[in-house]
Amino acid sequence: MNSAQRVDSHVSTPIKRIRWATQRVSSQSGRRKRDKIIDRLHKRPLSSSAKKRESNWTDSLDGSTPGHDAVVEPSDEGNDHAHGRRRIFFNQPLPADAKDENGHPLARFERNKVRTAKYTPMSFIPKNLWFQFQNVANVYFLFILILSFFPIFGASNPGLLSVPLIVIIFVTAVKDAVEDYRRANLDDELNNSPVQRLVDHDNFNVTEDRISLWRRLKKATSHSLRWIANAWKSRQTAKRRGDKSGTERAVDAPRKSTDTRATPRASMYSTYSAHSGQEADTIQMTEVQPTSARHLNPGNTTLQVDDRPHTAFSYELNPSGLDGAAESHEALATKPREALPPTARTWGNIIDPTKSGAGTARFKRDRWKNVQVGDFVRIYNDDQVPADVVILSTSDPDGACYIETKNLDGETNLKVRQALHCGRLVKHAKDCERTVFTIESEPPQGNLYQYNAVAQWKEHNPKDPEAPPTDRAEPITIQNLLLRGCSLRNTEWVLGVVVFTGWETKIMLNSGMTPSKRSRVSRELNWNVIYNFIILFVMCLISGIVQGVTWAQGNRSLNYFEFGSIGGKPSLDGLITFWTALILFQNLVPISLYITLEIIKTAQVFFIYSDTYMYYDKIDYPCTPKSWNISDDLGQIEYIFSDKTGTLTQNVMEFKKCTINGVPYGEAYTEALAGMQRRQGINVEEEGKRVREEIARDRVKMLEMIRELHPNPYLHDEDLTFVAPTFVADLAKESGEEQAAANKHFMLALALCHTVISELTPGDSPRIEFKAQSPDEAALVATARDCGFTFLGRSHDSLIVNVLGEEKHFQILNTLEFNSTRKRMSAIVRMPDNRIVLFCKGADSIIYSRLRPGEQSALRQATAEHLEMFAREGLRTLCVAQREIDEEEYQAWNKEHDVAAAAVQDREEKLEHVADAIERDLTLLGGTAIEDRLQDGVPETIALLGDAGIKLWVLTGDKVETAINIGFSCNLLTNEMDLIVFKVEDGKIESALTELDKYLERFHITGSDEELAAARKNHEAPDPRHALVIDGDSLKLVLDDSLRQKFLLLCKQCKSILCCRVSPGEKAAVVKMVKLGLDVMTLSVGDGANDVAMIQEADVGVGIAGEEGRQAVMSSDYAIGQFRFLQRLVLVHGRWSYRRLAETIPNFFYKNIVWVFALFWYQIYTNFDGTYLFTYTYIILFNLAFTSLSVILMGILDQDVSDRVSLAVPQLYRRGIERKEWTQVKFWTYMIDGLYQSVIVFYMVYLLIRPTHFVTKSGHQVDDTAQMGVYIACAAIVVVNIYFLMNIYRWDWLILLIIAISILLIWFWTGVYSQFRASADFYKSANHVFGQLSFWATILLTTIACLLPRFTAKAFQKIFLPRDVDIIREQVRQGKFNHLAQPEPDGSSAQVSSSPTPSDIVKPTQSSRDTEVADDQRPIYPPSVNETATTYDPHSHNGSDGTEYTGQRESFDRRPRISLDRPRPSFDRVRLSMDRMRPSFEASNDLTSAAMLTRMESSQCFSRPRRANDVAIRPISMS
């Protein structure tokens, strides 16, 4: 039997898995509904502590926690409750200090029922009204409405006045009710989801839920309404079914299939297996095995029971396997005793052998809402976790299980969690009854990546039940916790206990809304509304004063014709008139403006979402707006802050090069290298073609050599990324035994050093795929697989690796996990020859500082030089080292590690301190180089944004050399630029100040306040000849309050800024510095959790929906699939949105000025007594119908130029950067224009009627108030709508139709409404006025007189003072941009393609730049060794035991080898390029340069006496 067949006999994969009859098969639709609920709960980013994203190297697959004989630290607190700590007791009564005087538990835990709906049927009306009237606009309307109901204020029809407010309140209430009804339904669906809960046993931690009378009343009301709704739905469904014939109903009914029918479970009870052939710790299950999961062996097509895989993801030794199976296991069993590892330590057992259960407990199907703290629950495959659950046991014998955390952090890759060692024997309900233990837990907190608790119990000796028990404890970490909302994957079942429920679970503590952002225009708009309030107040005050003075004068005509004043005295008359005028002039304050803007922004969001040119079909993701009210900010962006890895690059890692024992291997031609050669004047097109052809030939050669060396069944040609024939030659001992052993040892280290999940697809050509939380890790393990060192899986605490055709077991003793502070990961491994070796991989500076002092000087220098060349090529570099540990030293250190792992408080800090003690005196093995490709269209997008005047800053964790080369490859840096590398050597603020002053002097500035004030007003693009690069240590210094201003002014002089080695907090600090310091609009774009702080700090946050996670997307305002879509989002939709709103808002103010001041001028001739010039319906419908559609359409559909032209001429965007579209000057210009037109509208009619009397044919006069109001109102509506048309750039049939309807609507309303006697004085006004020639002549002359100044000014501006857009529009009319709409020769659309219009959204043809190219023919791009979205994990160091590194020997002071004499094209090519460029880089003294690394002293190591075996570390024995 070959290796692949042996693997298949021990491992099942998610592709071909066995299904068991006891597995609960849940409904797909129900699961989708629960997913929707969980997704909706996560609109807010993680809490501040959770923002520190965990590393991709967390969640060790064998992440066991040291729990055996660890000593638990005593709590410092005397009272657990006072500090929020909780104790949970299982099958034991509560102690006296945990109960109150009535014997009830002191601790009160949240219910697991979660309600996110705002309302209940009883509270909806009062609560909704309360929320709505928190809006000042509604309060203002209500106040006006209340005033109008008092006849003393002269409102003629208060009922009609209430219509707008009632409509607004009603529509909003209906919208809120529908949304909340859906939310409540989803809540009910989630709360009633099924779960297997242990019942008929005592949970001492909770008491019976006491339901108050009010809660009973609410429940009864809700249930009644739900019953009515369900009954109505059932009736409608039955009615629809009744309309169908029997045949139709039969066709509609789903057919049951034997393949999909759920397997009935015989009993809800879990019982011990009585089968003699089964292990005692497994659950009795009936095997239901589809044919697709059968193990196919040559000549044997029947499935044998003993052949079945025990789990989906681990190896288990099976002594009753097939003949010839598990050859390595038999060999292991026959080894001598001294060659075997020491006996595994005992972990203890929480089952009390002296306790006999009642035998009544059973797992019963229950609802989520009934789950309580302290309950035992069983979760099945594909189920969601109902609460935060500590894992006791799983279906896997190693206690491992897989979870998907997409609902929590957006990541779709699987993570591994481990059961407590002390609980792995708890399999059944009877076991749960016999457990006796306590969990001491930290209080609820929202950090998704950290949890500290400890399980405590008394261990009884089963052989001597009378002996006193011993106190035992095991620490509980995040590795042992299943969080609510996670989904169980690839695991048959999990049994655990509940520690947090409801709103105390981590997912709920992190739920909520993203911090709200308001657009700049909206913030400035508040001042304009205040200005209008002031004007309104002055108008009302004038009315009150004039009316009061008029009555005080006496001897006026009103004293004889009026029956006294309303107030009885002048002062009271003036006060009443003041409030009357407030009702009369209410339209001056544009309350409806807010509703209009909401409609406009909603439409803009819809167009952004519907733009198929921003649709990323690879992951089926359109541009998704998360914030609907800041679309106009997209049109004013001046600074863009971008992450690199996953944002500019694809975050798809490919292993390209490595250096082993001082010998470099690997061939690659990266974009960064092309950028370096381009600066040297090399024709990179020809050079790239030649090199890629050479790499293709070497690739074929390497594949042949690998298969000659070892027929690797897991090698697939298309997966190979590491092209190095010389490596295979050296592996075959062409350069001697030493280098061959070094290469073999290095690859074995890569095969062991990981936390990936292996998935085997058996067959003639078996395929092993790796799922890792870090794409870097997957690339390392995949390369080891391709070279013949294949990681196959895990067996208990060991890794199984196929080493050149032979399976080997390596016991993992401890894993010291990666985080952003440590920047390294270590694994302590017991080798097959029983030696203990620590392997460590991490950043080069970290590893070099921990090497043994005074040794390997030649190797250090050679490796540092190779790593520098790799970094110059834009590759992510990593160092690998090792240390051999004595058994005694390891046992002493392990005790300290166990104590630190068992700590409840400060566990991470203590573990890091213990790890630091062992990770010293390392021996260097070599380094790796991984490539991350640039995304398609990144250079073009960056160039386009730069042409638009947008400054791009890249904030990355890369090394300086890598960042610089990537900057050249993506057009951020050019050859013409003077590159300023800002580096402070001694880390002092004084030195940073000196450096700043030196560079500021180049630009003849000093960093003064006056220069900062001038910089805030200057939005021009900086000199393109300067760029600045700064590393993280220097950035920390210049962000100090005393230096920030000078650094900001220095950056203002540079076109491009690259900040390297930057932490998430520093990213946010940089964004805040620029946003507040220069008073500019900023946009941040990133793809990972380490970008969340930056995204939230910027005015606009954009998340890249990567293939590995969605954390940035969850916290962003806009989510896109690729960086290149940013050009359309900003330059097209952003510019359109800003320009539309900037034109809509002043037009809205203008129309209200025209209308209200026409009323005001009329008050002059009525002594400001509040007489209505218009019928009240005109006042109500003016904003509601006569002018609303026109201005809304302007804000939704207006377009100065098409999207093609916007992208072809990005310079048009600069008006938004300079904020010239919406200014206070523009606002007051429109206000004055409206004031002028109000004078014309009123006095044109007034001067027409005053000298004479117009009468109709029937003798009716048309000079009374009602008819005069028709004259003025119709003229005002015509003028306002034509004014809108003049300000609209895009005249199409829809715009013209809406303008025409708006104008005709007032004539239609006048004609209809005046026919009813209820219109009182307005009765027959249309008949009287429309028949007068003077009416039509007045409208014509008024329109001309009102619009002539505006027309003249616009014509003068466009002819003599044209703006950029005016010139471009002329060129469009001349046909100079027609080529943009023409198809390219290959039939694809032009690169700058048209955006879909609201009425015509067409999926674009894939452009030529998106065409798939073979991997070896397309450009390749680099990454960074810093934390990515999936590698950053500050809390992953949790004491789990799990994987890792295999190292190499120390004696690298070597003689010349044959391998060094062979030609190495890639090495020589890069070395030549580097030698040409070295002086400028050496001047920067960057930490990662070869010179700096070789100068580094082993600062983290201490001298100690060398042992004999320190002289040369022995090669690993492969036997």
Side-chain angles (χ1 to χ4, degrees), residues 198-212:
L198 189 70
V199 297
D200 295 338
H201 96 295
D202 295 326
N203 185 351
F204 296 97
N205 302 283
V206 294
T207 58
E208 288 190 12
D209 193 11
R210 303 182 183 91
I211 303 178
S212 64

Side-chain angles (χ1 to χ4, degrees), residues 1022-1277:
D1023 192 334
R1025 295 175 297 175
H1026 303 284
L1028 184 141
V1029 180
I1030 185 171
D1031 67 350
D1033 294 332
S1034 302
L1035 184 63
K1036 291 178 183 177
L1037 298 175
V1038 297
L1039 289 178
D1040 184 82
D1041 293 340
S1042 59
L1043 304 181
R1044 186 183 301 136
Q1045 179 170 314
K1046 290 191 174 185
F1047 176 66
L1048 181 60
L1049 288 173
L1050 175 61
C1051 294
K1052 176 73 175 174
Q1053 310 303 317
C1054 301
K1055 180 181 180 182
S1056 301
I1057 309 293
L1058 282 82
C1059 300
C1060 310
R1061 299 292 196 188
V1062 186
S1063 68
E1066 291 167 349
K1067 291 182 179 181
V1070 170
V1071 175
K1072 184 177 182 180
M1073 173 190 71
V1074 176
K1075 181 177 71 172
L1076 300 181
L1078 296 178
D1079 187 28
V1080 294
M1081 298 297 294
T1082 58
L1083 181 148
S1084 294
V1085 54
D1087 73 313
N1090 55 343
D1091 303 317
V1092 168
M1094 172 178 73
I1095 286 173
Q1096 292 181 343
E1097 183 61 46
D1099 293 291
V1100 178
V1102 177
I1104 302 290
E1107 298 180 37
E1108 293 297 329
R1110 295 285 196 275
Q1111 276 200 300
V1113 167
M1114 292 163 65
S1115 305
S1116 65
D1117 302 306
Y1118 295 89
I1120 56 179
Q1122 292 275 277
F1123 182 82
R1124 67 177 183 270
F1125 298 147
L1126 201 61
Q1127 57 179 307
R1128 286 191 65 83
L1129 182 63
V1130 172
L1131 302 183
V1132 177
H1133 294 284
R1135 197 182 73 85
W1136 280 350
S1137 298
Y1138 171 60
R1139 207 205 62 79
R1140 288 165 178 168
L1141 280 182
E1143 195 63 39
T1144 298
I1145 293 173
N1147 276 277
F1148 207 100
F1149 282 106
Y1150 148 81
K1151 71 184 183 69
N1152 287 344
I1153 287 291
V1154 173
W1155 184 259
V1156 172
F1157 269 89
L1159 287 172
F1160 184 77
W1161 305 134
Y1162 176 70
Q1163 298 303 308
I1164 295 176
Y1165 304 97
T1166 62
N1167 294 321
F1168 290 93
D1169 62 356
T1171 301
Y1172 283 78
L1173 173 62
F1174 309 128
T1175 177
Y1176 205 72
T1177 59
Y1178 280 178
I1179 297 177
I1180 299 300
L1181 295 176
F1182 176 76
N1183 278 325
L1184 196 62
F1186 298 152
T1187 60
S1188 59
L1189 291 179
S1190 304
V1191 73
I1192 289 175
L1193 223 61
M1194 171 189 289
I1196 294 177
L1197 298 180
D1198 192 20
Q1199 226 179 75
D1200 52 357
V1201 294
S1202 68
D1203 60 337
R1204 292 186 177 92
V1205 178
S1206 296
L1207 294 176
V1209 191
Q1211 291 80 2
L1212 295 175
Y1213 186 83
R1214 295 186 179 180
R1215 277 189 66 83
I1217 295 176
E1218 298 170 357
R1219 305 174 198 167
K1220 290 184 177 179
E1221 293 291 350
W1222 168 247
T1223 63
Q1224 292 303 310
V1225 172
K1226 183 175 184 176
F1227 166 77
W1228 288 111
T1229 300
Y1230 276 71
M1231 294 284 281
I1232 294 173
D1233 204 355
L1235 187 65
Y1236 159 77
Q1237 293 184 25
S1238 70
V1239 172
I1240 299 298
V1241 166
F1242 175 77
Y1243 279 101
M1244 186 70 75
V1245 177
Y1246 175 77
L1247 295 178
L1248 172 70
I1249 294 177
R1250 181 184 180 185
T1252 184
H1253 297 283
F1254 291 93
V1255 296
T1256 64
K1257 294 180 180 179
S1258 60
H1260 287 88
Q1261 292 185 349
V1262 294
D1263 57 353
D1264 62 352
T1265 302
Q1267 277 72 34
M1268 183 178 178
V1270 175
Y1271 272 80
I1272 296 175
C1274 290
I1277 297 302

Side-chain angles (χ1 to χ4, degrees), residues 140 529 532-533 536 585-592 1152 1156 1183:
Y140 174 77
V529 174
N532 274 31
F533 264 116
L536 176 63
F585 303 138
Q586 60 179 287
N587 283 338
L588 184 63
V589 177
I591 300 303
S592 57
N1152 287 344
V1156 172
N1183 278 325

Side-chain angles (χ1 to χ4, degrees), residues 1427-1488:
E1427 315 73 70
T1428 63
T1430 47
T1431 60
Y1432 174 49
D1433 189 355
H1435 303 293
S1436 64
H1437 188 146
N1438 47 36
S1440 63
D1441 292 331
T1443 63
E1444 262 31 19
Y1445 260 136
T1446 334
Q1448 156 145 0
R1449 56 198 179 288
E1450 174 192 349
S1451 66
F1452 292 116
D1453 297 327
R1454 57 199 182 283
R1455 59 189 180 279
R1457 294 183 297 273
I1458 302 174
S1459 61
L1460 290 178
D1461 301 330
R1462 290 190 301 246
R1464 300 178 183 270
S1466 180
F1467 176 85
D1468 297 335
R1469 179 171 58 249
V1470 180
R1471 178 63 180 268
L1472 179 61
S1473 299
M1474 190 188 73
D1475 289 343
R1476 295 178 181 177
M1477 305 300 296
R1478 179 181 293 275
S1480 63
F1481 285 100
E1482 289 294 338
S1484 70
N1485 291 322
D1486 186 69
L1487 185 63
T1488 58

